[in-house]
Amino acid sequence: MMKFKKTLPKITLVCLLSVFATTSLFAQQTVVALRADKPSNQISKHIYGHFAEHLGRSIYDGFYVGEDSKIPHTDGVRNDIVAALKNLNIPNLRWPGGCFADRYHWRDGVGTKINRPSIVNTMWGGVTEDNSFGTHDFLNLCKLLGTEPYLAGNTGSGTVQELADWVQYVNFEGKSPMSDLRVKNGQEKPWNVKFWGVGNEAWGCGGNMTPEYYVGEYRRFATFMEGQNLYKVASGANVDDYHWTETLMKGIPLRMLDGIALHHYSFPTWEKKGPATGYSEQEYFETMKTALRMDELIIKHTAIMDKYDPNKKIDLVVDEWGGWFDVEQGTNPGFLYQQNTMRDAMIAGATLNIFNNHSDRVKIANLAQCVNVLQAVILTDKEKMLLTPTYHVMEMYKVHQDATLIPVEVKTSDYVFGKEKLPAVSVSASKSTAGLTHVSLVNIHSSKSEEIEIDITGQEYKNVTGRILTSKKVDDHNTFDQPERVKPSTFTQAKLKGGKLKVIIPPFSLVVLALK
Ligand code: AHR
C-alpha cells in the first residue's frame, strides 16, 4: 500500500515556480464514484492510434532517413523510432495523409526507387517529394512496428479505378494485374490491409465538397473497393458540422460503411494559435477549453448516429486530434513542427479519458501526428531523438488498450480563469484481462492541487501503485540537450482504506493508478 500523508503533500507546500502564477497552498476537492459493479464495453485498442502524413519532417528526416543513412535503420526506417513506438503498443498507423492523401497517387511510390517520379507536395511547404517512401515502405514499417496500417484513399484528385486498383494491389491473393505488379515489385503475399479511409476532409482540402455531393462520391468509390473484411471510413465532420454527419448517416447505406470520421484540434483560437512554449495562462486555458470540447462533440455526433444506427454498428473514428500551435521559429511554416509541453500532456490525458468513456461509439482515434509534426510523440534532430510529454501519456495509458471500461461518476471542482470555468479533473478507468484495475486521473488546473476521493463499488482492492507525469512549470518540455526533463515517476500520494481511495494530485499533472 502506498504511503499517504494526511497533511498537504510536500509538492503543494513548496511554492512551485509556474509560468503563470504561484502554486496555491490549498488543494481543491473532487469526488469520484468508481462503478466496478458495472463493467461496460471493451475499450478498443485502436483509440490509441497514430498518424504519419507526408508533411514536413514526419516521413522524410523523421521515420525515414533512407537506405544510405549513417543513423541505424532498417530499410531506411530509424531503429530508435521503431523501438520507441513498439513500447507504446501502437495499434494502428494512418498514412499517407491528411490533406496529402487526396493529392497522392500510389503508383508513384511503387517499383524501383530511382524510377519513381518526383512530384511537388503542394499542400505542405511546396517541397519536392521523390516518392522514395511508398506503399511497400509503409506497409513494411507497419510490420516492423507490429501495428495495423490505416490507408487513406484519394477521392479528391484520384479516380475510382485508381483506388480500386490500390485495394487490389495491397490485398488480392490470387492472380490479377495488380497483384502481379505487387509480386514483380517484391511482395509475394498480400498485406491484407483492413482499415481504409475513403478520402480525407472532403469538406475542405479533400475537394471542398458539400456533404450531399460527398455521399454520392463515397457510394461510388466504396462500391469498387472490393475485398473481404474491409473496414471503410467515410470522411467525416469538421468539428461541430452536425449537418455533415446527419447527411452521411442518411445518405450512405449502413452496409457500405464501418466508420465516420471526426477531426478536432486544440488551440487558443484557430486564427491565433500562439507559441507551443512560453504561452500565457489565457492561451493555456483556451486550449484546454477546446480540448475538453471533444466530449460535447462526441455526444452530439453520437446522438445523430444513434438515430440511424441505434445498435451502434457504425463507429465514430476520430482520426485527427491534438494540439496545433505556431511552428517553431526558423522552421518552414508548411512543416507544422512544434514543441510539446505539459499542456500537450494535459490535452492528451483529458482527450484519452473522453475517448475511453465514450468507447461504446468511438472505436478508432489517431493523434496528429506521430513524428515531428503537430502534437508529436517523437521529435528528431539529425541522429538525436526525444520522447515528448505526450509520448509518456500514451505510454502510461496503454494499459487501457482492449481493457473493459469501468464507468466513473465525477464531481469535480473547477478550474476558474477570469469569468470562465472548466472541470479541473477528468477520470477514466478500466479492468485488464489480467484482473488489474487502472484509473487515469488528470488535473488540468494551472496552480491548484486536487484531493480526490474515489468511492469504489463492486470490488475490493488490497493494493494500489501508481505513476505520475508532472513538472515544475506547465510549459516544461524535453529538449535535445535535456531529453528527460519531463518523464513519469513513481506516485506515492494514494491511500487505499476500506472502499475508498484517496489521492492527492498536483496541478497540471496526470496519474495512472493500478489497483489489485
Ligand atoms: O494534420 C494536419 C492536417 O490537418 C491534415 O493533413 C488535415 O487532414 C487536417 O486539416
Side-chain angles (χ1 to χ4, degrees):
M1 190 177 294
M2 300 171 86
K3 240 177 113 198
F4 178 75
K5 294 178 184 163
K6 274 252 162 74
T7 51
L8 289 171
K10 224 189 223 155
I11 202 137
T12 53
L13 293 174
V14 179
C15 287
L16 291 178
L17 279 176
S18 154
V19 273
F20 308 137
T22 311
T23 300
S24 164
L25 289 176
F26 302 102
Q28 304 200 114
Q29 319 278 327
T30 283
V31 180
V32 178
L34 184 81
R35 301 305 305 263
D37 57 327
K38 292 191 167 170
S40 186
N41 57 275
Q42 189 180 48
I43 299 172
S44 164
K45 65 178 178 185
H46 289 292
I47 283 176
Y48 292 82
H50 289 262
F51 176 29
E53 180 165 11
H54 284 235
L55 192 180
R57 295 173 49 245
S58 162
I59 299 293
Y60 304 111
D61 200 21
F63 275 100
Y64 185 73
V65 285
E67 281 92 343
D68 300 328
S69 175
K70 289 204 175 79
I71 298 170
H73 63 87
T74 306
D75 298 328
V77 172
R78 286 180 73 137
N79 293 343
D80 52 359
I81 292 187
V82 170
L85 293 178
K86 279 183 92 149
N87 184 41
L88 294 185
N89 296 346
I90 77 166
N92 71 73
L93 186 60
R94 181 172 180 248
W95 177 86
C99 296
F100 182 75
D102 282 299
R103 286 152 183 79
Y104 184 61
H105 301 284
W106 66 269
R107 276 195 182 82
D108 293 347
V110 298
T112 320
K113 292 205 177 183
I114 42 161
N115 293 331
R116 296 186 191 172
S118 287
I119 57 156
V120 179
N121 189 334
T122 48
M123 189 65 218
W124 303 116
V127 290
T128 300
E129 154 74 62
D130 68 2
N131 279 302
S132 54
F133 190 90
T135 301
H136 292 247
D137 309 274
F138 174 69
L139 294 173
N140 291 342
L141 162 64
C142 289
K143 206 167 159 202
L144 276 180
L145 292 170
T147 195
E148 282 205 55
Y150 173 10
L151 294 176
N154 179 347
T155 59
S157 67
T159 63
V160 172
Q161 186 65 53
E162 185 183 347
L163 184 49
D165 284 350
W166 202 17
V167 174
Q168 197 182 89
Y169 184 90
V170 165
N171 280 359
F172 190 62
E173 173 118 48
K175 196 171 159 45
S176 77
M178 288 304 113
S179 50
D180 285 353
L181 184 60
R182 182 191 69 232
V183 174
K184 188 174 151 237
N185 289 334
Q187 180 67 28
E188 181 75 36
K189 288 270 164 217
W191 287 280
N192 294 320
V193 173
K194 177 177 167 190
F195 299 123
W196 290 86
V198 185
N200 170 76
E201 296 195 350
W203 42 264
C205 65
N208 285 304
M209 304 177 200
T210 62
E212 291 78 12
Y213 183 84
Y214 175 69
V215 163
E217 290 295 275
Y218 179 93
R219 294 170 69 131
R220 213 159 59 91
F221 275 84
T223 299
F224 299 97
M225 294 171 71
E226 287 163 329
Q228 277 169 2
N229 303 323
L230 297 191
Y231 180 105
K232 296 183 196 121
V233 181
S235 168
N238 182 24
V239 192
D240 55 0
D241 186 350
Y242 300 113
H243 174 63
W244 187 278
T245 300
E246 180 102 39
T247 310
L248 264 51
M249 287 304 291
K250 211 188 300 179
I252 302 174
L254 298 191
R255 65 181 161 75
M256 293 185 76
L257 189 64
D258 299 285
I260 290 196
L262 166 66
H263 290 181
H264 173 59
Y265 285 93
S266 307
F267 32 69
T269 66
W270 176 249
E271 295 73 25
K272 274 196 148 196
K273 300 186 185 71
T277 59
Y279 38 82
S280 66
E281 179 158 13
Q282 170 106 30
E283 288 170 318
Y284 173 73
F285 184 89
E286 294 298 338
T287 305
M288 293 317 304
K289 188 161 85 178
T290 341
L292 296 182
R293 199 172 168 218
M294 184 67 87
D295 193 54
E296 172 198 321
L297 296 174
I298 293 174
I299 290 171
K300 291 190 175 164
H301 284 290
T302 296
I304 295 165
M305 293 173 80
D306 283 348
K307 278 201 292 177
Y308 300 90
D309 173 33
N311 297 324
K312 298 194 193 292
K313 285 201 176 116
I314 311 302
D315 303 331
L316 190 57
V317 175
V318 190
D319 55 15
E320 286 184 32
W321 67 273
W324 191 325
F325 309 112
D326 290 346
V327 298
E328 295 304 315
Q329 268 194 349
T331 65
N332 187 328
F335 280 15
L336 311 185
Y337 176 77
Q338 65 191 41
Q339 249 297 356
N340 194 292
T341 70
M342 284 302 293
R343 172 173 65 173
D344 296 83
M346 296 296 96
I347 296 171
T351 304
L352 292 170
N353 281 342
I354 293 169
F355 290 159
N356 284 346
N357 289 326
H358 290 294
S359 54
D360 59 335
R361 184 63 92 169
V362 179
K363 300 288 181 184
I364 303 181
N366 300 79
L367 174 64
Q369 299 194 2
C370 199
V371 178
N372 290 335
V373 171
L374 298 176
Q375 191 175 341
V377 291
I378 289 174
L379 301 178
T380 65
D381 180 16
K382 301 184 191 76
E383 75 292 347
K384 292 184 184 167
M385 183 195 92
L386 66 79
L387 308 176
T388 65
T390 303
Y391 175 95
H392 295 303
V393 177
M394 283 285 182
E395 191 276 319
M396 291 167 76
Y397 271 58
K398 71 182 177 187
V399 292
H400 293 302
Q401 292 188 19
D402 279 347
T404 302
L405 178 72
I406 298 182
V408 287
E409 291 146 22
V410 185
K411 272 198 208 132
T412 169
S413 58
D414 295 325
Y415 169 22
V416 179
F417 180 74
K419 290 193 176 126
E420 291 191 274
K421 61 180 184 184
L422 294 172
V425 174
S426 84
V427 187
S428 71
S430 68
K431 189 168 182 177
S432 72
T433 41
L436 275 182
T437 295
H438 293 103
V439 183
S440 303
L441 304 159
V442 181
N443 176 17
I444 64 163
H445 203 293
S446 65
S447 59
K448 289 187 176 158
S449 297
E450 281 286 338
E451 273 182 19
I452 305 175
E453 182 181 291
I454 304 178
D455 299 323
I456 304 160
T457 315
Q459 180 113 26
E460 270 184 37
Y461 299 106
K462 296 201 162 51
N463 182 270
V464 57
T465 54
R467 289 164 81 209
I468 182 166
L469 191 70
T470 188
S471 203
K472 288 188 177 145
K473 290 187 282 163
V474 72
D475 84 330
D476 275 348
H477 52 278
N478 294 331
T479 63
F480 294 102
D481 294 330
Q482 271 192 287
E484 300 210 344
R485 187 187 281 147
V486 182
K487 63 174 184 183
S489 56
T490 306
F491 182 65
T492 54
Q493 301 295 325
K495 185 190 176 193
L496 194 56
K497 203 171 176 200
K500 282 193 200 314
L501 181 61
K502 288 198 174 174
V503 182
I504 300 183
I505 169 170
F508 53 87
S509 301
L510 176 151
V511 165
V512 177
L513 300 172
L515 293 154
K516 268 205 286 210

